[in-house]
Amino acid sequence: MKLIITGGAGFIGSNFIYYELKQHPEDEFICLDKLTYAGNLSSLKDAMQQPNFKFVKGDIADRDFVYSLFEGEKPDVVVNFAAESHVDRSILEPELFLKTNVIGTGVLMDACRKYGIKRYHQVSTDEVYGDLPLDRPDLFFTETTPLHTSSPYSASKASADLLVLAYHRTYGLPVTISRCSNNYGPYHFPEKLIPLMIINALHDKALPVYGDGANVRDWLYVEDHCSAIDLIIRHGRDGEVYNVGGHNEKSNLVVVKIILKALGKSEDLITFVKDRPGHDRRYAIDQTKIHNELGWLPQTKFEDGIAKTIEWYLDNKDWWQEIISGEYQNYYKKMYGNKF
């Protein structure tokens, strides 16, 4: 089987490529990535050594380019990780998110229709559901929870999901969608909560925590997520949405304190900053459907996953030290510089 994996130089995409190379060495993998700020080719340096892997630089919103790629490669499956994915950035520049996350998704599906594929899989997010109240721990997102977005990012992802389902209903395109909770693990870009806190703590810098830090997320170790996507693209039912959660609900403040304790750093580094607009309070996934249909359950407890993640950042300083210079530093100052 030949797979095109878009956004494969990003966090979850690169982890998925390594998972697939290990689990399915008989398959061929083409990574399509635009290499924007969050796409890092160095994340794929080991994959580049494999004979069944190829990297192609390009934009999923470039129709001529995408059609040419499909014409030449004739893929069986497309897994779309390519997305602008940071909420704060979407508040600053929403148009970028609409172009990649909505227009790009449409271009990919048109290519799938034109050249024929066995499965198009859209990697989405639990953020399309909005949020849940902190005082109702009995409530969880299911696949039938109404979409109720809070940011330009989540609105663009919800739009893409609706477009994918419309292509299935209108054209019979064989599609699936997965909506995951917050991922963490190796190759996570430093703007996100966990890697940002690890790196800042290592440098004894202030750890910026939005609002009161009580916002709760369901943390999913990235390898567990990859295993779920693998099951869905190979055994999931056409036209279905599958929620993928970690069953590891933690508040942002608790996560930060766990990281500080693991690194032997003082909680005095925690600095509360002005909350971002529309900040969702709680996400929680009901994963009954994917468990019942495909037998999937998360395998990694947060305590184990965060230990492995911290160890990876300690062992791979060259990877993230290169990233935290240049454009990322300018962005960091813009987002947090006036909030302390």
Side-chain angles (χ1 to χ4, degrees), residues 11-311:
F11 164 45
I12 306 175
S14 59
N15 278 278
F16 181 71
I17 286 169
Y18 286 120
Y19 183 87
E20 292 294 292
L21 285 168
K22 181 179 178 181
Q23 298 294 325
H24 303 283
E26 72 283 1
D27 289 344
E28 295 180 64
F29 304 97
I30 298 119
C31 171
L32 168 59
D33 200 294
K34 189 179 178 181
L35 294 180
T36 56
Y37 76 95
N40 192 339
L41 203 53
S42 66
S43 301
L44 297 172
K45 65 179 182 180
D46 292 335
M48 295 284 195
Q49 308 304 315
Q50 303 302 313
N52 57 336
F53 176 81
K54 178 193 297 186
F55 177 82
V56 179
K57 184 179 180 181
D59 184 352
I60 62 169
D62 183 338
R63 187 174 296 273
D64 291 340
F65 171 81
V66 170
Y67 281 16
S68 176
L69 179 64
F70 277 61
E71 176 76 32
E73 296 293 347
K74 298 179 173 57
D76 300 298
V77 173
V78 175
V79 184
N80 182 26
F81 291 95
E84 296 284 352
S85 65
H86 197 251
V87 173
D88 291 339
R89 286 182 183 266
S90 79
I91 294 170
L92 292 174
E93 298 180 278
E95 185 176 353
L96 295 177
F97 288 69
L98 298 178
K99 181 180 179 183
T100 298
N101 299 358
V102 183
I103 301 301
T105 296
V107 169
L108 286 174
M109 288 191 298
D110 284 341
C112 289
R113 288 180 57 219
K114 182 176 176 66
Y115 295 101
I117 48 103
K118 296 177 182 177
R119 171 62 54 83
Y120 172 88
H121 182 75
Q122 178 75 3
V123 180
S124 188
T125 170
D126 59 358
E127 294 192 41
V128 300
Y129 297 124
D131 64 353
L132 297 167
L134 291 176
D135 60 355
R136 288 294 305 276
D138 56 311
L139 295 179
F140 296 87
F141 296 136
T142 72
E143 290 81 0
T144 58
T145 298
L147 305 187
H148 186 68
T149 61
S150 305
S151 68
Y153 161 63
S154 58
S156 69
K157 292 297 288 185
S159 300
D161 286 5
L162 293 173
L163 194 61
V164 170
L165 294 174
Y167 269 60
H168 172 69
R169 181 167 180 173
T170 302
Y171 305 112
L173 192 69
V175 307
T176 44
I177 297 173
S178 58
R179 293 174 179 154
C180 67
S181 55
N182 282 45
N183 281 222
Y184 67 103
Y187 302 110
H188 204 175
F189 194 75
E191 71 185 355
K192 303 291 186 164
L193 177 72
I194 286 177
L196 174 64
M197 298 302 152
I198 293 172
I199 293 168
N200 277 18
L202 288 173
H203 290 93
D204 293 310
K205 293 174 59 177
L207 276 57
V209 175
Y210 278 132
D212 57 7
N215 306 72
V216 170
R217 299 295 181 258
D218 175 20
W219 292 98
L220 174 65
Y221 191 61
V222 66
E223 187 174 21
D224 288 342
H225 185 198
C226 294
S227 69
I229 295 172
D230 181 65
L231 280 172
I232 294 169
I233 63 175
R234 296 171 191 274
H235 305 291
R237 290 185 293 134
D238 285 353
E240 293 295 318
V241 176
Y242 295 91
N243 281 352
V244 183
H247 268 273
N248 283 302
E249 286 189 54
K250 306 280 184 191
S251 73
N252 290 345
L253 187 58
V254 166
V255 170
V256 172
K257 289 182 177 181
I258 289 172
I259 292 170
L260 287 170
K261 183 177 180 180
L263 294 173
K265 300 291 185 176
S266 171
E267 291 184 6
D268 291 340
L269 290 174
I270 297 173
T271 304
F272 294 98
V273 301
K274 182 180 178 181
D275 211 350
R276 72 177 176 219
H279 197 179
D280 291 333
R281 293 299 278 174
R282 173 177 172 255
Y283 302 149
I285 286 280
D286 181 339
Q287 60 201 25
T288 301
K289 180 176 178 178
I290 190 172
H291 175 60
N292 288 345
E293 290 193 15
L294 302 177
W296 182 88
L297 283 173
Q299 300 300 307
T300 310
K301 294 180 180 179
F302 185 79
E303 292 72 17
D304 299 329
I306 195 65
K308 289 193 289 186
T309 301
I310 291 171
E311 182 180 5

